[in-house]
Amino acid sequence: MNSIGEECTELKKKYDDCFNSWFSERFLKGDHDDSMCAGIFKVYQECVKKAMKQQSIDFKEVDKDVLGTDNEFKVPPSESSS
């Protein structure tokens, strides 16, 4: 799966590879220190935030809790009504 921004896809692949390696080789063997991939994650996260901003995606909307609330079943507003 590609990233939200084309320019972030290679970083996503690097992070996915790092995470999968950490998970299978360390986490499942009891080592829960996740700092191994922290550097690449931070770079990838910044790239995603920049891509979201370029696509006018509101960070607050992404972080909003919806599941388990009354808003879960509401139809999202259409773009023409924003």
Side-chain angles (χ1 to χ4, degrees), residues 35-64:
S35 63
M36 176 177 146
C37 303
I40 189 67
F41 177 73
K42 185 172 178 70
V43 173
Y44 172 56
Q45 185 180 46
E46 290 303 315
C47 187
V48 168
K49 286 179 181 180
K50 183 178 177 184
M52 288 173 64
K53 190 176 270 188
Q54 290 171 341
Q55 296 179 34
S56 301
I57 299 172
D58 186 358
F59 297 117
K60 290 178 269 183
E61 287 298 310
V62 173
D63 287 338
K64 190 187 301 184

Side-chain angles (χ1 to χ4, degrees), residues 11-20 37 40-41 44:
L11 288 169
K12 180 186 184 304
K13 288 178 183 175
K14 287 180 182 179
Y15 174 70
D16 286 347
D17 289 346
C18 184
F19 177 85
N20 290 333
C37 303
I40 189 67
F41 177 73
Y44 172 56

